[in-house]
Structure formats: C-alpha cells, structure tokens
Amino acid sequence: MRLISGTSLVLCGLLLLLQVPCTLGLTPQSRGHLCRTRPTDLVFVVDSSRSVRPVEFEKVKVFLSQVIESLDVGPNATRVGVVNYASAVKQEFPLRAHGSKAALLQAVRRIQPLSTGTMTGLAIQFAITKAFGDADGGRARSPDISKVAIVVTDGRPQDSVRDVSARARASGIELFAIGVGRVDKATLRQIASEPQEEHVDYVESYSVIEKLSKKFQEALCVVSDLCATGDHDCEQVCLSSPGSYTCACREGFTLNSDGKTCNVCSGGGGSSATDLVFLIDGSKSVRPENFELVKKFINQIVDTLDVSDKLAQVGLVQYSSSVRQEFPLGRFHTKKDIKAAVRNMSYMEKGTMTGAALKYLIDNSFTVSSGARPGAQKVGIVFTDGRSQDYINDAAKKAKDLGFKMFAVGVGNAVEDELREIASEPVAEHYFYTADFKTINQIGKRLQKKICVEEDPCACESIVKFQTKVEGLLQALTRKHILSQRPLWGGGTGRGSHAPCVGGPR
C-alpha cells in the first residue's frame, strides 16, 4: 500500500479545518454510546469526612452516577457497590444489591455524608474483607472477571494506607486513587496500582471532579465497537472509536453534511495560505511536566504542516498573568526551526489571563507588522487548563467577527463554557476537552485532520489508507499515555467487518 506524502496529509487536514466543500468527514459523528464491559466487580470507596461539605459530596455523587451511566450493568456483567467512610465505614449498598442501572442511580442519590474523621485505611480493609466478599456479591477471582476499586478522598488519612493497599492489590483488586484539593498526594501513590500515572488522579476542587467521569467511562469500557456490531448508519465506511463511531467514504467519494452518506467527489479548492498562531496557557496550574506535554502537542500539529512562505506560517504566544510572544508568524521557514523554538520555550507559571491573550492575538499576532499575510486564512488554537482570571467574551467574539478560525483546547480544570465561547461555529467541531494531559496527543491527531487546504480535495480520501497503515504505530505510542488501550480508529466497509476492540482495566 502506498503511503501518501506528508504534504498530502497536511493538505487534507487543512481542507477539513477550513471546511472547503468536498471533505472526507473524519470529524466524529457520535450516535450515542454503548459500553460493553467484561464482567467487573466495581466498588467506589468514598470519603465523606467533615472536610467534605454537603454541596461537594453532591458533586461526588454526580461523578459516581456519570460513571455508572456508561456501564453495562447486570448480574453477569458489571456489578457496582459503594462504601462510604469517615471515622467509621458504612456500606451504602453491596455488589449484589442492584442488578439494573436505574436501581443503582436511585441508590446513589440516597447516599448521605457521614461528616467525621478520615479512616481511609479502614475503608480499604473493609473493601477487601467485606465489599468484594462472596456474601456481598463479589465473584471468585478469575482472569475473566475484573475487580476494581475507585477511592475518592480529599485529606490526609488518620490511619495507614500503605500495607492495606498492598494487600488489596495482591488480592487482585485494581486500585484507582482520586485526590481532591488539599489531599496528601503521597497517600494517593501509596493506594494506587501500577503504573501510577494511569491510576492516580488529582483535581483542585470537587466542582470539577465530574470531568474525570469520561476517563473512567472509557477505562471500564472493553467492547464498544459499534461498527462491528452493526449499530451504525454509515453508507460506506464505519470507523470505530470507544463507544461511538465516525462515518467515512471510499476512494472517489466524500462525506455529505449529514455525516453518514457519500457523494462522488467533484473537486473544489481554496486559498492555500494559512497563518496559524498557538495561544498557550503557561499558568502555574499546568505544572512543568505537563508543559512539556503541551510542547509535544504543538509540535505534533507542526509536523503535519506544509511550512513555507506561500503555504503555512506558524506563530506562538504564551500567556499567564501577562502575555509573551515566543515568535511571530513568518520568523521560521522550516518545521525543524519551528519545533526547535517550541522545545526551547520556557514556562512562565503565575496566573491565567486568557482574555488578555485573545486581545493580543487580535491586536498583534494577526497584523501585517507581525508577519501575517493579507488574504491568508487566520487560524488560532487556544490551549488552556483552567478558568480565565479575566473577561474573555468580548475578545473571543471579536476574533470570530474578524473571520479568524478559532479552536479551543481544554485540559483538566478548563471551563467548557469558556472553550465554547472561544470556538468558532459549529462549536462542536472547534472545541476539544480531555481530563488528562496525557491524552492531548489524541486531540492533536483530530486537529491534524483539520489544518490544511488542497487544490484537489479528492486527494484527501487517501488519508483513510494512511491511517490504517500507521494505526499500529500510533497504538504503540498511545499505550504509554492513556488509561485504557484501544484503537484510535478502526472499522471497515459495511457492517460487522471489524473485530471488537478489547482493553480496559486488568
């Protein structure tokens, strides 16, 4: 199979970004979610000590409900139990109690906080001896049944967790640790299974804990290949993704606006000059190790660009409490030089002034004096991990009114309402969110398919073949960074032509 050139891949992506007619429709068209889990005994171990205020505990219950909503619940599928703890341990309901999703959600709504101390070790011991026990609905340990405990806590425990957590892991229980606010992070590491980067999560407050639900929904989802099961309405090609799918078309056809039917490719075209500026959040909440992942994310996009005076130019702006231009459009004329400048970018830390950064983009980055070219498409990619400390609405609106194509990428504690405010229309195609910095490479892949222009858009169809060829390589890379191991894309022509994906907790 012949690989398409880097230029063709880049041109295909830009064509999709600029929405030139005759596109291959690789933007996901979600049709609802189906998650088929391998038989799993799942126990939530939830801290409701006095440091957790009632309104915050309600947020924890929303998180539990969102994870449960995604599961394939049943006596022979996923069983769910909840252990509530403070100074003492209370089993809210055992694994055997509820055989339906509706009954589980109703039981979660009835849980009340205990509001005393923090005996995390005692709660984990209870999970080992009682919650996962046969009498309470725990199934015998076997390779076919996963045993998973998700521990949520916001403080320093008043007892030891190291030894009891080791016993839990030795008994075959996979432990995830979620810390909130002023939690003792060393405690999280003592609780969690290996690899710890996949089993430890931290959020700054209970107000954003819900954002972790997507991560656990995907982690617990084993078989979610709607293409394989025929649960799709694609006319030609179905490309699988966890719990959803995307429609595409065979060579010589392009995807219609309905996202499922195909038309014979009739050509198209557009200006090939694009000025692309990254606006990167360098606030202290990002943290140095994650800032390095952000730089890799930028270079992942740069790798797909056809950089030249006549095609793509790249600029980079970093912001925190102030705004700093790292380099303007047109300063570097090769991908190698751009990527080197990105790698050399130093981390600013401090605050999050997204509104000031957007104003800088308008007043400086896209001006002729800063290297912007008259007539070139102006594209801004805004990356942030938290709530802006200034007002963004006016600058976000002005950028779009000026015709800039704006993409918003949020991670962790980013506020999705702000991302939508920044993003161009249609908003669903121009904003991206992930709970974990380790998965931003997947967002990069989606943006790659949206950043180019092509004289002959029909040539972009070959990206399907290209993706199939490199799927294995990308999977190998992704396994190092995401919680569950699943194909980044997959599928085939017609119904039932692709084997189900397998992954999830082990």
Side-chain angles (χ1 to χ4, degrees), residues 20-39:
V20 176
C22 190
T23 59
L24 176 69
L26 289 173
T27 301
Q29 306 284 332
S30 296
R31 314 292 181 194
H33 290 261
L34 173 66
C35 181
R36 297 175 183 172
T37 52
R38 60 188 287 184

Side-chain angles (χ1 to χ4, degrees), residues 211 387 392-393 400 408 414-423 427 431:
K211 293 185 176 182
R387 182 184 296 275
I392 70 165
N393 293 35
K400 291 179 285 188
V415 178
E416 293 191 61
D417 285 347
E418 291 186 355
L419 300 179
R420 287 188 283 267
E421 188 70 33
I422 293 168
V427 172
Y431 97 95

Side-chain angles (χ1 to χ4, degrees), residues 291 295 298-299 314 316 326-327 331-332 334-346:
F291 193 70
K295 292 197 284 188
I298 297 170
N299 282 342
V314 177
L316 177 61
E326 301 293 343
F327 54 84
R331 172 172 292 179
F332 300 112
T334 67
K335 284 189 278 190
K336 180 180 178 181
D337 290 342
I338 292 171
K339 290 168 66 178
V342 171
R343 285 193 296 269
N344 290 332
M345 175 173 54
S346 60

Side-chain angles (χ1 to χ4, degrees), residues 330-452:
R331 172 172 292 179
F332 300 112
H333 304 287
T334 67
K335 284 189 278 190
K336 180 180 178 181
D337 290 342
I338 292 171
K339 290 168 66 178
V342 171
R343 285 193 296 269
N344 290 332
M345 175 173 54
S346 60
Y347 177 33
M348 292 176 72
E349 300 190 58
K350 299 185 180 179
T352 309
M353 302 294 281
T354 309
L358 288 166
K359 189 174 187 303
Y360 185 93
L361 182 81
I362 296 164
D363 296 340
N364 297 277
S365 299
F366 283 137
T367 61
V368 173
S369 61
S370 291
R373 296 163 296 180
Q377 172 75 46
K378 306 296 189 292
V379 179
I381 299 179
V382 182
F383 183 99
T384 183
D385 88 321
R387 182 184 296 275
S388 179
Q389 295 172 326
D390 61 352
Y391 187 68
I392 70 165
N393 293 35
D394 290 347
K397 181 178 185 299
K398 185 174 181 180
K400 291 179 285 188
D401 289 347
L402 289 170
F404 303 162
K405 183 78 70 174
M406 299 299 296
F407 289 85
V409 179
V411 178
N413 295 330
V415 178
E416 293 191 61
D417 285 347
E418 291 186 355
L419 300 179
R420 287 188 283 267
E421 188 70 33
I422 293 168
S424 292
E425 294 288 344
V427 172
E429 296 181 10
H430 291 83
Y431 97 95
F432 305 84
Y433 173 80
T434 179
D436 193 340
F437 275 91
K438 299 183 186 71
T439 63
I440 59 174
N441 64 320
Q442 291 192 343
I443 290 177
K445 294 179 193 109
R446 291 166 65 188
L447 279 169
Q448 284 170 355
K449 300 178 193 125
K450 293 176 175 285
I451 304 180
C452 80

Side-chain angles (χ1 to χ4, degrees), residues 19 38 100 124 150 160 166 176 180 183 227 254 416 427 441 463:
Q19 299 177 1
R38 60 188 287 184
S100 72
I124 295 171
I150 300 176
S160 175
F176 291 88
V180 183
V183 68
C227 296
T254 54
E416 293 191 61
V427 172
N441 64 320
I463 192 172

Side-chain angles (χ1 to χ4, degrees), residues 16-73:
L16 290 168
L17 179 147
L18 299 175
Q19 299 177 1
V20 176
C22 190
T23 59
L24 176 69
L26 289 173
T27 301
Q29 306 284 332
S30 296
R31 314 292 181 194
H33 290 261
L34 173 66
C35 181
R36 297 175 183 172
T37 52
R38 60 188 287 184
T40 300
D41 291 344
L42 171 63
V43 175
F44 293 95
V45 181
V46 180
D47 177 358
S48 67
S49 57
R50 65 172 62 92
S51 60
V52 185
R53 294 176 296 175
V55 67
E56 294 173 332
F57 193 71
E58 290 302 311
K59 296 288 187 181
V60 176
K61 288 161 61 176
V62 171
F63 164 71
L64 267 59
S65 297
Q66 288 178 339
V67 175
I68 290 168
E69 282 275 16
S70 72
L71 300 176
D72 180 20
V73 173

